[in-house]
Amino acid sequence: MQDTLAEFREIQSQDAFALQNSKLLKVRLDEVTVQARLGSMVAYQGDVTFEHAGSGGIGRMFKKAVTGEGSQLMKISGTGEVFLADQAQDVHLVHLQDDYITVNGRNLLAFDAGIDWDIKRVEGASSMMGAGLFNLALHGTGFVAILSDGPPVLLDVGAAPTFADAQAAITWSSGVSTGIRTDFKMKNLIGRGSGETIQMAFSGEGWVLVQPSEGRVEPTTQGGGSSGGGLSSLLNG
């Protein structure tokens, strides 16, 4: 019977982060401690410990109070291997070398515990403007695993003025600045006809990765939604 399932055998790799296929990530814990999206573990082998990652300092606790967000990351450590995924979304690896990227919270799967993170608001965005406008800034050296709802496209921000739906822009590089563009002429003309009059504007030198979707619909917590653009699910006070 195993011969008929041979194409699904585990892929062996010496890398700390290794894709098993386009939707499943394997992390070798002998090499690294990892922070991951809470609930993203689908399997593991070995002696593995899972614990709440915490908010990581007074500054981030203050931002939790301001944004209504907090941490729902889990810290994974031990020996062995852990397999991570989220709703069969595509997984992409970015390796940082003393650099930083900004990630839409709902599109973050996992990252090396040695990478620092902080909550960042899109410049010019009001806290009432809706999803995608609070994001995570990740800085340091190591791997970051990003989720996309379908195959994304990598846009060169320096090549032309670049704009995207706040929920479709999933990550962008250092050297890229963000802002808000409001175009009321676009009302009810594109997408779902709801929030598309407000777009993220990208400038500078670098790239932005855009998914072919406005994102998976995630359940809101009792008592109302959040303006966190996915941080409300990744980060929870």
Side-chain angles (χ1 to χ4, degrees):
M1 182 180 293
Q2 282 190 336
D3 291 341
T4 63
L5 300 175
E7 63 179 301
F8 303 117
R9 282 190 182 128
E10 178 184 352
I11 296 174
Q12 302 298 327
S13 173
Q14 296 303 308
D15 294 331
F17 280 48
L19 291 177
Q20 294 297 289
N21 53 55
S22 65
K23 303 178 187 299
L24 186 63
L25 171 68
K26 180 174 74 172
V27 179
R28 293 181 60 212
L29 296 175
D30 302 9
E31 301 293 330
V32 65
T33 298
V34 63
Q35 294 198 59
R37 186 182 187 91
L38 188 65
S40 62
M41 184 277 293
V42 296
Y44 66 91
Q45 293 182 302
D47 184 10
V48 179
T49 300
F50 301 87
E51 58 183 312
H52 195 278
S55 61
I58 297 298
R60 279 177 284 202
M61 288 179 65
F62 175 75
K63 290 184 180 181
K64 283 164 49 177
V66 172
T67 65
E69 314 298 348
S71 178
Q72 263 201 356
L73 294 168
M74 60 180 177
K75 183 178 179 180
I76 309 173
S77 58
T79 58
E81 300 170 339
V82 61
F83 297 83
L84 303 174
D86 188 81
Q87 298 186 66
Q89 295 185 83
D90 294 333
V91 183
H92 313 278
L93 295 180
V94 179
H95 187 264
L96 299 182
Q97 187 67 44
D98 193 23
D99 199 0
Y100 75 89
I101 58 174
T102 306
V103 182
N104 190 322
R106 73 177 65 197
N107 297 99
L108 180 63
L109 178 62
F111 57 95
D112 284 343
I115 292 178
D116 195 23
W117 62 269
D118 203 356
I119 300 171
K120 184 176 181 180
R121 187 170 71 184
V122 175
E123 204 164 317
S126 162
S127 61
M128 301 300 291
M129 289 180 76
L133 302 182
F134 286 104
N135 301 287
L136 290 180
L138 301 171
H139 179 270
T141 298
F143 281 103
V144 180
I146 306 297
L147 297 164
S148 71
D149 188 15
V153 60
L154 189 72
L155 300 179
D156 181 356
V157 172
T162 304
F163 306 90
D165 183 288
Q167 298 173 75
I170 60 178
T171 184
W172 49 95
S173 64
S174 59
V176 171
S177 299
T178 59
I180 295 297
R181 180 185 182 188
T182 303
D183 188 350
F184 293 101
K185 294 180 181 179
M186 298 184 71
K187 186 177 182 180
N188 297 326
L189 294 182
I190 59 176
R192 291 194 287 240
S194 55
E196 290 80 1
T197 56
I198 299 173
Q199 305 139 26
M200 287 184 66
F202 299 88
S203 59
E205 295 296 328
W207 50 262
V208 56
L209 194 66
V210 180
Q211 68 183 3
S213 166
E214 290 178 317
R216 304 288 177 96
V217 176
E218 297 182 355
T220 57
T221 57
Q222 189 173 4
S226 167
S227 58
L231 282 180
S232 56
S233 61
L234 180 69
L235 305 173
N236 176 17

